[in-house]
């Protein structure tokens, strides 16, 4: 029976009622999301600042020592139905997400430090907190990594796998995944490793066949991050990329993702400066204000900053950070406003600051009749404090995607662009960078997979 459309909703399948959704999953006309039963294994590549801040944070929340601030999956709500319905359940009560108590962490690193030692070295969380978590964190010991300093010039790891070729290394990672799978019910892999050198897609990346031949010949075009990603996708495991590395942004791994129902998404956590850019730029554009220049600079002193001090790794980060403005402003559509935009990004390694990055933006804008104005943004942020909840949410949503029949075999999960500096899209589609469009897309995807009505914010019926 057709229901009256509410608040610009497109009719979906059933009329939602919050009491009908639970973490046990729900049958809808379109699909049945499988329940989040049992343990979710999280395999983290790179147990550095972001990874250990996420893992420590999850454990602190589980013990009631702190709140999961910054995590949409843990604190966010989702409106269902009309504005007057007063029906906004927590996202985690609406969709069947894995519970924090069910997360089990393991990982790889090029150094032998356990998660406690690594978190202490990263100096993100206070020692009082880390001391409380020590017995738990000490048990998380990294497995030997797939690493080659050709791809990350500033690091020289000692805790690394040896193999006769890159195929052999991929098989060792697959063996690690299979062993871990025996101890948990489902697995997600997330790259929290360093930024690799800038790479463009080549012939070896164009098909699964070419990629596998490349593994056999240890082709230089295949970076360590791609070996992990290949292993994950071969094992049907969703793969998240927190760094700007090329990794799965190639036809071969998109194809493998679809073939093995192992979801992938874009790359590079959207946390500090780019988060602000994708908030401010849509505001200027919405009001048709012009922008002639956007100068962004950063100082940071953590290991990530040290790696990015190498021009080859910086180039990878720069490309990822540059993209957002170009796509948001659409200069070809609005030449009077944005065609002469000068966009410059700098990252400076400055050890005294550690993880407490400082970012400055100077934005030269112009308004009515071309009169110039300026906006200055000074963000004193904490890199890993911003990144940890993003990493956690991506893990939980990718596990959800894997359990959702309609999503698991489509490859790229564009609805997760919300979290990423470089969204990945289907061929021929431009990426959507505007944070608010991304947020709507994410929530509408959740409504859709749960059979709830989509919300378009039309709302004319309130004035009938
Ligand atoms: N913190 C943020 O706000 C943020 C935002 C976007 C992206 N990132 C990206 O996330 C990644 C992690 O950042 P971080 O601050 O934790 O850096 P980090 O240097 O503290 O941690 C990276 C870890 O990865 C390890 N590693 C490097 N190559 C590896 C490999 N091949 N296999 C296994 N381990 C490997 C390193 O030894 C290190 O322990 C970086 O690429 C960074 O650019 C961070």
């Amino acid at each position: 029976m057709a229901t009256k459309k509410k608040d610009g909703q497109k009719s979906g399948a059933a009329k939602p009622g919050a009491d009908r959704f639970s973490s046990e999953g729900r049958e809808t006309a379109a699909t049945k999301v499988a329940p989040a039963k049992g343990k979710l294994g999280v395999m983290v590549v790179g147990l550095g600042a972001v990874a250990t801040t996420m893992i420590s944070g999850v454990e602190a929340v589980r013990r009631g020592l702190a709140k999961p601030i910054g995590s949409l999956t843990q604190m966010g709500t989702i409106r269902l139905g009309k504005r007057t319905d007063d029906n906004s359940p927590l996202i985690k009560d609406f969709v069947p997400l894995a519970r924090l108590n069910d997360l089990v962490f393991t990982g790889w690193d090029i150094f032998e430090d356990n998660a406690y030692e690594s978190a202490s070295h990263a100096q993100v969380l206070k020692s009082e907190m880390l001391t409380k978590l020590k017995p738990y964190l000490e048990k998380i010991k990294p497995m030997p990594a797939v690493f080659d300093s050709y791809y990350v010039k500033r690091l020289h790891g000692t805790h690394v796998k040896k193999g006769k070729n890159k195929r052999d290394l991929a098989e060792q990672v697959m063996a690690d995944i299979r062993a871990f799978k025996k101890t948990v019910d489902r697995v997600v892999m997330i790259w929290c490793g360093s930024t690799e050198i800038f790479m463009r897609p080549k012939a070896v990346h164009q098909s699964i066949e070419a990629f596998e031949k490349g593994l056999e010949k240890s082709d230089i075009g295949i970076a360590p991050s791609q070996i992990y990603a290949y292993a994950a996708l071969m094992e049907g495991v969703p793969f998240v990329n927190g760094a700007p590395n090329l990794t799965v942004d190639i036809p071969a791994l998109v194809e493998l993702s679809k073939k093995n129902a192992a979801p992938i998404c874009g790359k590079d956590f959207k946390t500090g400066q780019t988060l602000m850019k994708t908030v401010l730029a849509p505001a200027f554009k919405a009001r048709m204000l012009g922008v002639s220049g956007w100068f962004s600079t950063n100082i940071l002193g953590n290991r990530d900053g040290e790696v990015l001090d190498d021009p080859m790794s910086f180039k990878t980060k720069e490309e990822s950070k540059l993209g957002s403005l170009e796509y948001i402003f659409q200069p070809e559509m609005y030449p009077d406003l944005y065609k002469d935009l000068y966009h410059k990004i700098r990252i400076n390694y400055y050890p005294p600051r550690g993880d407490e990055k400082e970012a400055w933006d100077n934005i030269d804008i112009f308004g009515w009749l071309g009169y110039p104005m300026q906006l200055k943004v000074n963000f004193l942020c904490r890199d890993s404090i911003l990144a940890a909840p993003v990493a956690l949410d991506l893990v939980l949503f990718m596990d959800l995607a894997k359990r959702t029949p309609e999503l698991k075999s489509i490859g790229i999960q564009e609805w997760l662009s919300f979290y990423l500096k470089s969204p990945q899209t289907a061929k021929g589609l431009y990426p959507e960078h505007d944070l608010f469009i991304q947020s709507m897309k994410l929530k509408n995807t959740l409504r859709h997979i749960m059979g709830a009505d989509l919300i378009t914010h039309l709302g004319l019926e309130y004035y009938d």
Side-chain angles (χ1 to χ4, degrees):
M1 191 183 76
T3 49
K4 191 176 177 217
K5 286 189 186 164
K6 290 172 278 153
D7 202 3
Q9 295 160 353
K10 283 191 190 150
S11 337
K15 186 180 167 199
D19 54 335
R20 293 168 62 190
F21 305 108
S22 72
S23 60
E24 296 308 307
R26 171 160 182 246
E27 199 157 0
T28 70
T31 181
K32 164 128 177 59
V33 182
K37 274 204 196 118
K39 298 283 175 203
L40 173 62
V42 186
M43 304 193 87
V44 189
V45 190
L47 281 180
V50 173
T52 56
T53 307
M54 167 180 67
I55 297 169
S56 310
V58 166
E59 181 63 5
V61 173
R62 292 198 280 221
R63 293 196 197 175
L65 299 173
K67 298 266 182 226
I69 315 277
S71 162
L72 184 70
T73 60
Q74 303 309 300
M75 304 200 80
T77 60
I78 184 161
R79 188 186 115 202
L80 302 173
K82 284 172 83 160
R83 264 183 277 166
T84 45
D85 286 353
D86 192 22
N87 185 11
S88 296
L90 283 169
I91 287 175
K92 64 179 180 174
D93 293 336
F94 174 58
V95 288
L97 292 179
R99 300 286 153 180
L100 296 192
N101 278 339
D102 289 328
L103 300 191
V104 181
F105 294 97
T106 185
W108 297 267
D109 204 289
I110 64 172
F111 301 111
E112 275 181 70
D113 293 356
N114 63 44
Y116 173 76
E117 290 162 336
S118 178
S120 304
H121 175 262
Q123 292 188 321
V124 178
L125 300 178
K126 293 195 176 134
S127 56
E128 304 94 86
M129 171 68 86
L130 290 179
T131 308
K132 287 184 190 151
L133 305 174
K134 188 174 177 185
Y136 170 77
L137 292 173
E138 269 180 342
K139 288 196 202 113
I140 303 173
K141 297 182 178 134
M143 296 177 273
V146 175
F147 182 73
D148 180 341
S149 57
Y150 171 77
Y151 302 90
V152 184
K153 307 279 184 212
R154 294 284 153 102
L155 296 184
H156 301 281
T158 45
H159 189 51
V160 294
K161 294 189 193 303
K162 291 187 177 50
K164 69 177 184 344
N165 57 18
K166 290 184 176 175
R167 162 167 291 287
D168 186 9
L169 293 171
E171 272 161 13
Q172 290 181 45
V173 177
M174 287 192 263
D176 292 343
I177 298 172
R178 282 197 290 270
F180 188 52
K181 270 183 176 170
K182 289 190 184 134
T183 66
V184 291
D185 298 273
R186 305 177 312 284
V187 176
V188 170
M189 188 189 290
I190 181 165
W191 175 276
C192 291
S194 308
T195 301
E196 295 174 335
I197 56 169
F198 183 66
M199 290 168 62
R200 289 189 197 283
K202 296 194 179 127
V204 70
H205 302 133
Q206 297 311 312
S207 66
I208 299 177
E209 202 193 355
F211 190 88
E212 289 181 339
K213 276 191 191 139
L215 284 174
E216 200 66 49
K217 290 193 283 186
S218 292
D219 192 298
I220 198 163
I222 299 179
S225 65
Q226 292 174 316
I227 296 177
Y228 287 101
Y230 171 82
L233 303 180
M234 285 297 283
E235 290 296 318
V237 167
F239 180 89
V240 179
N241 185 9
N245 309 334
L246 182 65
T247 320
V248 294
D249 203 357
I250 55 171
L253 295 185
V254 172
E255 197 184 330
L256 191 59
S257 157
K258 288 187 189 166
K259 188 173 159 212
N260 290 352
I264 54 173
C265 51
K267 55 191 176 197
D268 206 4
F269 302 131
K270 177 153 90 171
T271 51
Q273 196 167 50
T274 309
L275 177 70
M276 291 304 137
K277 265 186 191 162
T278 62
V279 169
L280 289 171
F284 298 139
K285 188 176 150 197
R287 286 296 175 93
M288 291 289 109
L289 292 170
V291 184
S292 56
W294 198 311
F295 179 72
S296 305
T297 188
N298 299 269
I299 53 173
L300 85 159
N302 56 16
R303 193 185 277 155
D304 186 30
E306 191 179 351
V307 167
L308 294 175
D309 210 34
D310 171 58
M312 302 280 272
S313 287
F314 172 69
K315 170 89 176 136
T316 311
K317 192 58 125 183
E318 187 187 27
E319 288 283 321
S320 177
K321 278 176 156 267
L322 277 172
S324 58
L325 289 190
E326 180 78 10
Y327 284 109
I328 290 172
F329 286 140
Q330 298 176 290
E332 65 302 332
M333 206 181 286
Y334 303 102
D336 290 339
L337 301 176
Y338 309 117
K339 106 173 149 2
D340 296 325
L341 169 65
Y342 188 85
H343 188 195
K344 187 90 188 159
I345 294 169
R346 283 272 165 270
I347 298 178
N348 302 290
Y349 178 50
Y350 180 62
R353 276 300 169 88
D355 200 64
E356 286 162 42
K357 179 157 91 176
E358 182 159 1
W360 291 267
D361 284 84
N362 170 73
I363 313 159
D364 285 294
I365 64 174
F366 52 95
W368 186 240
L369 312 179
Y371 277 70
M373 295 170 266
Q374 289 182 16
L375 186 75
K376 316 273 179 189
V377 181
N378 182 197
F379 192 4
L380 286 89
C381 65
R382 292 173 190 261
D383 237 12
S384 304
I385 293 295
L386 292 169
V390 167
L392 170 66
D393 282 2
L394 281 166
V395 164
L396 297 180
F397 279 142
M398 288 288 266
D399 170 52
L400 174 75
K402 172 82 186 175
R403 285 181 282 109
T404 304
E406 207 180 342
L407 298 178
K408 70 177 189 185
S409 299
I410 62 169
I412 303 162
Q413 307 293 316
E414 202 198 324
W415 60 286
L416 294 175
S417 301
F418 177 65
Y419 293 108
L420 299 155
K421 279 194 198 78
S422 297
Q424 195 170 343
T425 58
K427 212 169 166 220
L429 269 187
Y430 67 81
E432 197 54 80
H433 284 272
D434 177 327
L435 189 81
F436 300 103
I437 297 178
Q438 293 174 333
S439 158
M440 260 192 279
K441 191 177 174 66
L442 186 154
K443 289 193 172 181
N444 269 339
T445 303
L446 299 181
R447 292 182 185 104
H448 173 74
I449 63 169
M450 298 307 293
D453 289 337
L454 306 189
I455 291 184
T456 66
H457 302 286
L458 181 62
L460 281 179
E461 72 284 359
Y462 298 119
Y463 300 90
D464 275 354

